[in-house]
Amino acid sequence: MKKKLAIIGAGIAGLTLANFIKKNSEHEFMLYEKQDSLSLDEGYGIQLSTNSIKILNLIGFSKIDNKKIFHPKGLDFYSFKNKKICDVDISQFNTETNKYTTMQRSTLIEFLKDDIYTTHLRFGKKIKEVSELKGKVLIKFDDNTNDLVDIVVAADGIFSNTRSFFEKKKNEPKFKKAIAIRTILKSKSELNIDEERISLMMGSNCHVVIYPVNRNKDLNLVCIIRNKKYDPDNIYKLVSKIVSQNNIFEKVLIGNLKSWPLYFTPQILPSTNSKVFYIGDAFNGFLPTLAQGAGQSIESAYELFNLIKENKTNIQNTYFQTRLKRAKIVRKRSNFNFFVFHFSSTFMQSIRNFFIKFLVKRKRFINSYLGTVYKN
C-alpha cells in the first residue's frame, strides 16, 4: 500500500532514508528541516566502515569522486608521547566494492542531497503541534503550513524536538563530562604519524584521533577531553591540558578550533506511537569512540526503509527490536573504548597497552570486537 511519510531532519539519517524511498519505492515523502539551509562548509570528518558503505553503494555512492574520500588501511595506537604501541589492519574487513572510508561530512551530505534538494526538501520547518486525524498524523508547523501523513520519521538528532511531541516519558540526553575539539590539519605537523592511516593517541583523561579525509590527505583531528563543564569561551584552557602532555600539540591545536560537549542517550526507548519512528541519533546518541555515529544513522534509515517498502505487519516492534539489538552492541563497545582510552594512571596505561598489543594479534578477538560491527 502506498504511504506518505514526513521525515523530520535533513542530516545523514534523514537524507539517507529519503534517497532510498525516492529511488526504490512508490511511497510519497517530504523532508522537513528546521534550519534555513544545509550546512555544507568543510565541516568535520567522519569514518564509515564497510557496514555503512555497503548500504550507501545501493544508492550510487560508488560513483563518488575518489579525490573527495580516502580508504585508510589501518589503525595505529600511540601513547601521547608519540610512541607507537601497535596497529590493526582494518582493511581485512574490506571487499572489492565496500571499503572502510573517511571523508568530510559535507562530502556525504552533498552526495545525499543531490536527488532530494529541489522537490523533496523544505527548510525553516519547525513543528508546532501534532494530532491524529482519520488514522493519520497531522503535523502543523510554526509557519502555518501542515502535512497529513501515514508515517512520521524523526531524524532530528539526539535532542530530537519531534520526540517531545509524541513521548510522555522523558529521555533527556546526558552530558558525558567530556568535550570534543576539532581542527583540520594540512600536514602531519611533526606528529610523526603515518598520514595514510588512522592514528589514535591515548593520554591522561583524553585521547586524540587523526585521519585523512581526502586524496589531498587533509587530516581531521578530534581530541576528546574529560572535563566537568563545557565553556566554549575557554577552549584554550582545555588545550593546555593536552599541550602539557605533549608540547607538539601547541603547534597543532591553534587557529580555528571547533568544540562541542559530548552527550549520550541514557536509555533506548521504543516509540509509543505505531506511526512514529526514530532513526539516527534520535533513536540513540552514541559516544564517538567507535566511530559509528554516521554509520548507525545510515543503518537505521535502511532498516526502516526495508520494513516500510515490504509493508511488513507490526513494523514498529520489528524495527525497534532489530535496532535495539544493534545499538546495544555499538553502545557497549563505544562506552568501553571511552573508559579505556582515558586512563590517568601510568600503571593502568601500561597494563592497557600490554593487553592491546596482545589482543590485536588475536584474529578471533578482532573479528568479535570489530568484525561484528563492520561486517553487519
Side-chain angles (χ1 to χ4, degrees):
M1 182 189 301
K2 189 175 181 180
K3 292 182 173 65
K4 186 177 181 182
L5 291 81
I7 305 171
I8 313 298
I12 292 174
L15 285 167
T16 299
L17 178 60
N19 271 269
F20 272 102
I21 294 172
K22 180 175 175 61
K23 296 176 181 179
N24 298 284
S25 80
E26 296 182 352
H27 297 310
E28 296 180 19
F29 72 95
M30 188 59 70
L31 183 57
Y32 296 104
E33 170 57 47
K34 68 178 180 179
Q35 302 298 331
D36 293 328
S37 63
L38 292 178
S39 177
L40 293 173
D41 58 352
E42 282 195 349
Y44 52 86
I46 57 173
Q47 301 180 49
L48 296 176
S49 45
T50 53
N51 51 309
S52 43
I53 294 298
K54 182 179 179 180
I55 294 170
L56 290 177
N57 282 343
L58 297 175
I59 51 175
F61 185 76
S62 58
K63 298 177 182 178
I64 199 167
D65 184 354
N66 278 330
K67 293 180 181 178
K68 296 182 177 180
I69 62 176
F70 199 84
H71 301 303
K73 294 183 178 179
L75 166 64
D76 294 336
F77 292 87
Y78 292 90
S79 71
F80 226 65
K81 296 295 185 181
N82 284 86
K83 182 178 179 180
K84 186 173 179 179
I85 300 168
C86 57
D87 57 74
V88 177
D89 175 19
I90 55 176
S91 68
Q92 63 184 286
F93 302 108
N94 291 350
T95 66
E96 186 176 344
T97 55
N98 308 317
K99 298 179 180 179
Y100 199 106
T101 303
T102 56
M103 71 192 82
Q104 290 181 328
R105 181 181 182 274
S106 57
T107 299
L108 180 57
I109 295 295
E110 282 276 12
F111 163 76
L112 291 171
K113 82 173 182 64
D114 279 352
D115 290 338
I116 305 299
Y117 196 87
T118 305
T119 57
H120 296 281
L121 182 54
R122 299 290 179 267
F123 292 106
K125 296 290 187 177
K126 187 174 181 179
I127 297 177
K128 180 175 67 175
E129 182 183 336
V130 297
S131 59
E132 294 207 21
L133 179 66
K134 296 180 180 180
K136 297 179 183 289
V137 180
L138 177 63
I139 306 173
K140 295 182 179 180
F141 298 97
D142 61 3
D143 62 356
N144 295 320
T145 60
N146 59 70
D147 198 0
L148 186 64
V149 299
D150 298 290
I151 294 174
V152 177
V153 181
D156 50 349
I158 191 171
F159 293 98
S160 174
N161 180 57
T162 308
R163 182 179 281 273
S164 65
F165 284 95
F166 291 99
E167 308 300 333
K168 292 181 180 180
K169 187 173 183 179
K170 298 290 184 181
N171 192 24
E172 296 291 338
K174 291 188 176 181
F175 178 44
K176 189 63 178 177
K177 297 182 180 179
I179 313 299
I181 299 174
R182 175 192 61 79
T183 190
I184 295 289
L185 309 178
K186 297 299 181 180
S187 72
K188 56 186 177 182
S189 303
E190 301 178 7
L191 286 170
N192 193 30
I193 59 174
D194 187 337
E195 58 188 55
E196 295 192 351
R197 298 168 68 87
I198 302 167
S199 299
L200 169 62
M201 301 179 177
M202 299 174 289
S204 175
N205 292 316
C206 67
H207 77 277
V208 171
V209 180
I210 305 170
Y211 56 88
V213 290
N214 51 41
R215 292 295 171 185
N216 293 330
K217 295 179 184 176
D218 291 339
L219 303 176
N220 185 77
L221 181 150
V222 178
C223 180
I224 307 295
I225 310 170
R226 288 181 183 264
N227 207 60
K228 292 182 179 180
K229 294 182 179 180
Y230 174 55
D231 183 357
D233 296 324
N234 288 296
I235 292 302
Y236 286 96
K237 287 185 178 180
L238 284 180
V239 170
S240 65
K241 293 184 179 182
I242 304 300
V243 173
S244 67
Q245 297 182 55
N246 187 337
N247 57 19
I248 289 178
F249 283 103
E250 188 172 12
K251 302 176 183 179
V252 175
L253 294 171
I254 57 176
N256 186 25
L257 301 180
K258 303 292 185 181
S259 67
W260 64 95
L262 292 190
Y263 283 86
F264 68 98
T265 307
Q267 302 178 70
I268 305 177
L269 301 177
S271 172
T272 58
N273 189 314
S274 62
K275 301 177 182 66
V276 181
F277 297 84
Y278 303 103
I279 63 174
D281 286 345
F283 181 88
N284 180 78
F286 298 99
L287 294 176
T289 40
L290 192 64
Q292 277 288 309
Q296 292 308 303
S297 291
I298 292 166
E299 278 192 26
S300 61
Y302 184 59
E303 289 167 1
L304 180 58
F305 164 74
N306 282 324
L307 291 170
I308 294 173
K309 179 186 177 183
E310 296 168 10
N311 286 311
K312 296 285 188 180
T313 58
N314 196 19
I315 291 178
Q316 184 61 255
N317 184 62
T318 303
Y319 169 74
F320 179 75
Q321 293 302 326
T322 301
R323 185 95 294 263
L324 176 65
K325 181 179 180 181
R326 184 71 169 150
K328 281 184 174 180
I329 293 172
V330 174
R331 183 161 121 163
K332 184 177 181 179
R333 285 161 172 73
S334 298
N335 291 344
F336 181 71
N337 285 358
F338 184 87
F339 170 72
V340 169
F341 291 170
H342 293 170
F343 285 147
S344 57
S345 162
T346 54
F347 174 70
M348 291 301 297
Q349 289 174 4
S350 297
I351 294 176
R352 174 199 63 202
N353 296 348
F354 170 81
F355 275 104
I356 290 177
K357 284 190 286 187
F358 174 79
L359 291 172
V360 297
K361 296 177 182 178
R362 271 55 189 177
K363 191 170 183 178
R364 177 178 292 183
F365 172 79
I366 296 299
N367 282 335
S368 174
Y369 198 80
L370 295 180
T372 301
V373 176
Y374 291 172
K375 295 193 295 186
N376 183 65

